[in-house]
Amino acid sequence: LAAELVAMLNNRRVARSKQQWLDEEQQQAWIALVHLMIRLPAVLDAQLRRDAEMSHFEYQILAALSMAPGRSMRMSDLATITEGSLARLSQASGRLERRGWLRRTPDPDDGRCTLAILSDAGETKVHDAAPGHVHAVREIVFASLSRTQIRQLTTTAHRVLETIERLDDAGSSPM
Amino acid sequence: LAAELVAMLNNRRVARSKQQWLDEEQQQAWIALVHLMIRLPAVLDAQLRRDAEMSHFEYQILAALSMAPGRSMRMSDLATITEGSLARLSQASGRLERRGWLRRTPDPDDGRCTLAILSDAGETKVHDAAPGHVHAVREIVFASLSRTQIRQLTTTAHRVLETIERLDDAGSSPM
DNA sequence: CAAGATTGATCAGTCAATCTTG
DNA sequence: CAAGATTGACTGATCAATCTTG
């Protein structure tokens, strides 16, 4: 495909802009990683929107709740494990609530907290959506990787995530 | 941190929802990869917004143009290498044009195409933004990885991207 | 009519208040 | 007053037309 060739040529050209600071292998890795970070979430989001009429973020919310004891969780904990802000979660929960998949109620133990509770309809929905989503993940990510590669990927991802956490902590309290 | 512990515990719980289909190692890899796909783009976007008042997508546009011959490129080619839709690129270009970093003109060779051209101000802007951005990439991604890990990451990313392309092509023309 | 590009409407995400409870 | 949560205003992305040129 002509578009593909153009893309490859241009990517090399883009890469050159970092030649002073990144070596050849790092450039290649960076280009591949940027493309992966853009394409993989997009393709998984598209799969869920097409097959289950929900975003990946909404799926994460419902999946987390369906595994939680009592199918419920505090909003702030939900936000942590879905890696989203509380504001984003609050907006998304409103949508899910309107669709009848979730309801919210103040936490009896601590009035400041809100409990998100998965409804029966929501449970059914995740249950129906899960097989197709997991199949897509298997097909796209794991089917083409060896066990060794999967282990290496995990290690590498953790290494980078730890660095992000470390820098985040340092940044939020510079003293 | 309490939040961290909650996150780890809950992540294990989420993982269990895929036990029927993904093995233990795949679950761990998937959780790590999802977190990486969420956090890494977010942190790089934040760096550019903070230090250069632009999004990562806008940076990609300006960086690609600054490396292109004549500092110009067709919109459709730009869209391909930035992995964005033409509509998104068009909107973003409007913003960049309003800020004086870019101008657009019909392609003299083919009136259907539009050429995006980087202005002097735009060139200066990328030039100023690049060192900080590359430093962040080095610090976050490459400083914590060995040369071997970097090579493995490239291979793995390409493997997954090839799978995505393959499935995309199959999906768009099922016959 | 197909391909490149743009636009307007709509939808989701972010940010800065705001409100409430302990 | 700090932490959990929500809301409204704004910004950015997506989708479905639409327009133009070859």
Side-chain angles (χ1 to χ4, degrees):
Chain A
L1 289 159
E4 277 286 15
L5 290 170
V6 169
M8 283 180 58
L9 284 166
N10 284 328
N11 280 335
R12 292 193 184 284
R13 233 178 275 135
V14 173
R16 224 169 283 150
S17 72
K18 285 164 186 166
Q19 233 167 26
Q20 297 165 258
W21 305 280
L22 298 184
D23 67 35
E24 183 70 30
E25 283 180 354
Q26 288 173 339
Q27 288 171 34
Q28 291 179 9
W30 183 234
I31 292 168
L33 193 52
V34 168
H35 284 190
L36 186 68
M37 291 187 320
I38 294 172
R39 300 278 284 148
L40 186 51
V43 82
L44 291 169
D45 214 65
Q47 181 270 322
L48 281 166
R49 286 182 193 280
R50 178 165 37 81
D51 300 341
E53 293 97 37
M54 65 174 86
S55 69
H56 186 246
F57 185 62
E58 290 168 339
Y59 177 82
Q60 283 184 292
I61 295 169
L62 299 181
L65 286 177
S66 79
M67 293 299 107
R71 299 201 315 214
S72 79
M73 211 178 279
R74 290 180 178 178
M75 292 295 279
S76 48
D77 292 339
L78 250 186
T80 303
I81 82 164
T82 55
E83 304 263 358
S85 67
L86 208 40
R88 183 185 180 190
L89 176 63
S90 195
Q91 308 264 22
S93 299
R95 269 174 272 143
L96 294 173
E97 207 164 22
R98 260 173 262 131
R99 294 203 255 175
W101 296 340
L102 183 146
R103 69 179 194 280
R104 283 177 288 183
T105 188
D107 187 339
D109 297 344
D110 185 340
R112 288 172 301 183
C113 299
T114 304
L115 288 176
I117 304 167
L118 191 66
S119 69
D120 290 344
E123 175 72 29
T124 304
K125 189 70 193 175
V126 226
H127 202 266
D128 292 349
H133 182 60
V134 175
H135 177 263
V137 170
R138 276 190 63 79
E139 187 176 33
I140 293 166
V141 178
F142 295 114
S144 50
L145 301 179
S146 69
R147 295 193 80 76
T148 308
Q149 283 179 315
I150 292 170
R151 259 181 248 123
Q152 287 165 350
L153 180 59
T154 307
T155 308
T156 298
H158 281 145
R159 193 72 52 99
V160 175
L161 286 167
E162 280 158 18
T163 308
I164 291 174
E165 292 302 324
R166 186 167 45 75
L167 295 173
D168 252 17
D169 292 348
S172 59
S173 59
M175 283 284 103
Chain B
L1 288 158
E4 276 287 15
L5 290 169
V6 169
M8 285 181 58
L9 285 165
N10 284 328
N11 281 333
R12 292 193 184 284
R13 234 178 273 136
V14 173
R16 223 170 280 150
S17 70
K18 286 164 185 165
Q19 234 167 25
Q20 298 165 257
W21 305 280
L22 298 184
D23 66 34
E24 184 70 31
E25 283 181 354
Q26 288 173 340
Q27 288 170 36
Q28 290 179 10
W30 183 235
I31 292 168
L33 193 52
V34 167
H35 284 190
L36 187 68
M37 292 187 317
I38 294 171
R39 300 279 282 148
L40 187 52
V43 84
L44 291 169
D45 215 66
Q47 182 270 322
L48 281 166
R49 285 181 193 281
R50 178 165 36 80
D51 299 341
E53 294 96 35
M54 65 174 88
S55 69
H56 186 246
F57 184 61
E58 291 167 338
Y59 177 81
Q60 283 184 292
I61 294 169
L62 299 182
L65 286 176
S66 80
M67 292 301 106
R71 298 200 318 214
S72 79
M73 212 178 278
R74 290 182 177 177
M75 293 294 280
S76 49
D77 292 338
L78 250 186
T80 303
I81 81 166
T82 56
E83 305 263 358
S85 67
L86 209 40
R88 184 186 180 193
L89 176 64
S90 194
Q91 306 264 23
S93 300
R95 269 174 271 141
L96 294 173
E97 208 165 20
R98 260 173 261 129
R99 293 203 255 175
W101 296 341
L102 182 145
R103 68 176 194 281
R104 281 177 289 183
T105 188
D107 188 338
D109 297 344
D110 185 339
R112 288 173 300 184
C113 300
T114 304
L115 287 177
I117 303 167
L118 191 67
S119 69
D120 290 344
E123 174 72 31
T124 304
K125 190 68 193 177
V126 227
H127 202 264
D128 291 349
H133 182 60
V134 175
H135 178 263
V137 171
R138 275 191 64 79
E139 187 175 33
I140 294 165
V141 180
F142 297 114
S144 49
L145 300 179
S146 69
R147 296 193 80 77
T148 307
Q149 283 179 313
I150 292 169
R151 259 180 248 124
Q152 288 164 350
L153 180 60
T154 307
T155 307
T156 298
H158 281 144
R159 193 72 53 100
V160 175
L161 287 168
E162 282 157 16
T163 308
I164 291 174
E165 292 303 323
R166 186 167 47 74
L167 295 174
D168 252 18
D169 292 348
S172 58
S173 58
M175 282 284 103

